[in-house]
Amino acid sequence: MRELRLVGAGGEPVDLVRTLNSHGFVDLPPMKPDPDYRATELTVRTRRGKPRHIRIESGRRGYAKLSILGPASSNGVADDVTDVVRYVLRLDADLSSFYAAAADDEQLSWVTTGAGRMVRSASVFEDVVKTICTTNCTWSATVRMVHAIVANLGEPAAGAPPDTPWGRAFPTPEAMAEAGTGFYRDVARAGYRGAYLESLARSVAAGELDVEWFGRASADELNDEELERRLLALPGVGPYAAAHIMMTLGRYHRLILDSWTRPTYVKRAGRKAATDAAIQRRFRRYGPYAGLAFWMFLTRDWVDEA
DNA sequence: CGTCCAGGTCTAC
DNA sequence: GGTAGACCTGGACGC
């Protein structure tokens, strides 16, 4: 068992439950939250050996508790797993300036108690794949595709049951590159997205495309405009997908405007209608955090207020 | 049964 | 540069 101090890089508080229910991807394997999002299970790859199945939950005040389930693990493996969890929970992010801006906003000041930390997948590749699986389809179709990809191509942790997506790490680009066109068509039933996924996996596996760098690069090395341009160049990634991927990368300037967020904004704001431009004006004051502020505005009721 | 469309994108003008 | 039309799939509808 390990403990993780729930504090952001700027000393700001971290609300674990809000983080574990920060956006739809937390409900996709290899993550499996409890129904109330007060804890989650997750299967992660480590530098050596099989993936590990773990559980993250509240610990003593101000801490999360991390348990590695299954066979006993060495300290090295526990260190690896801890690093992955810190990454997934985005504990390295500094949201203090976002909170400073939100404190003056009557409709968003509630976030300063620790909301706004968006879960990210263990790799940028995984977030790109999942995002492509959300395009032009219902959420149930996204679930079907991602379940098939993880259940069939993901490496199982020790003791993982067969034929389920749970207990398996998200597949490597190599595994997805080798799966074959028939897998995407007949098993994942990804339709025309299959070609996008296969092309993406092949480029990454071949070392021609380094999507992980998109997550590591600073804003000086890779500014938002250039990053967006590169994301739009990926197969199957258009304006919506680029904005969503940028959110997972911690680039919150762009608002995710899609068939769910637009009507949800109108409802939450108590309006009859709102143009994209009007929505963007509402959150412009947040500058680089405009997209995050928008997302918080939409998802306030995802967690019961204490 | 057919039509529409969902957390859109691509191609061809 | 902006805008139709096609596109896999499978639920949700209307008929």
Side-chain angles (χ1 to χ4, degrees):
Chain A
M1 196 270 276
R2 292 284 179 104
E3 285 190 312
L4 288 170
R5 193 174 167 222
L6 290 174
V7 61
E12 74 278 21
V14 173
D15 183 328
L16 183 65
V17 180
R18 284 261 176 208
T19 303
L20 295 183
N21 191 19
S22 49
H23 64 115
F25 284 9
V26 304
D27 289 313
L28 296 174
M31 192 167 258
K32 186 169 176 52
D34 288 7
D36 60 6
Y37 298 97
R38 302 191 67 76
T40 193
E41 295 193 0
L42 172 64
T43 306
V44 300
R45 192 174 300 289
T46 60
R47 279 190 273 260
R48 315 194 62 159
K50 279 181 167 286
R52 259 63 178 191
H53 192 58
I54 68 172
R55 182 173 174 82
I56 305 163
E57 59 199 319
S58 295
R60 62 195 174 93
R61 189 177 180 77
Y63 288 82
K65 195 169 75 175
L66 164 60
S67 310
I68 303 177
L69 310 176
S73 297
S74 67
N75 276 327
V77 165
D79 288 344
D80 277 5
V81 169
T82 304
D83 287 345
V84 174
V85 171
R86 291 186 55 79
Y87 179 89
V88 167
L89 299 182
R90 211 182 288 271
L91 294 179
D92 57 318
D94 180 354
L95 294 180
S96 54
S97 61
F98 170 56
Y99 289 171
D104 299 328
D105 187 334
E106 196 174 302
Q107 293 176 297
L108 278 176
S109 60
W110 60 272
V111 303
T112 60
T113 57
R117 207 162 291 269
M118 311 292 286
V119 159
R120 60 184 155 192
S121 298
S123 70
V124 175
F125 173 72
E126 180 177 337
D127 274 327
V128 174
V129 168
K130 286 175 172 171
T131 301
I132 290 173
C133 290
T134 67
T135 57
N136 196 28
C137 64
T138 56
W139 181 250
S140 65
T142 301
V143 169
R144 169 173 48 72
M145 291 183 258
V146 174
H147 278 215
I149 288 168
V150 179
N152 290 281
L153 308 178
E155 186 184 355
D163 301 323
T164 88
W166 314 117
R168 292 166 183 270
F170 194 82
T172 60
E174 290 74 16
M176 285 191 62
E178 291 162 6
T181 304
F183 168 79
Y184 295 101
R185 183 186 59 229
D186 303 328
V187 181
R189 304 198 65 73
Y192 64 85
R193 297 169 205 78
Y196 300 151
L197 298 173
E198 199 170 11
S199 165
L200 173 75
R202 284 184 172 160
S203 301
V204 174
E208 299 159 4
L209 172 66
D210 184 6
V211 291
E212 303 311 316
W213 180 66
F214 296 162
R216 286 195 307 272
S218 69
D220 289 336
E221 293 173 295
L222 182 63
N223 64 40
D224 284 355
E225 288 66 34
E226 177 64 11
L227 174 57
E228 183 179 41
R229 198 184 65 74
R230 294 194 187 210
L231 291 172
L232 290 172
L234 301 180
V237 175
Y240 149 76
H244 191 276
I245 294 166
M246 286 180 75
M247 186 187 75
T248 71
L249 292 171
R251 308 285 192 120
Y252 305 115
H253 183 72
R254 301 271 191 286
L255 277 59
I256 298 173
L257 293 161
D258 62 31
S259 64
W260 181 75
T261 60
R262 289 187 181 98
T264 302
Y265 175 80
V266 168
K267 202 185 313 173
R268 297 281 191 285
R271 310 248 182 136
K272 279 188 290 189
T275 62
D276 287 359
I279 300 173
Q280 281 159 347
R281 269 199 305 280
R282 164 66 178 89
F283 297 100
R284 194 172 54 190
R285 70 176 92 161
Y286 286 94
Y289 291 103
L292 186 59
F294 178 48
W295 190 254
M296 291 297 99
F297 186 88
L298 300 177
T299 62
R300 176 175 187 168
D301 66 357
W302 281 18
V303 174
D304 293 330
E305 315 256 349

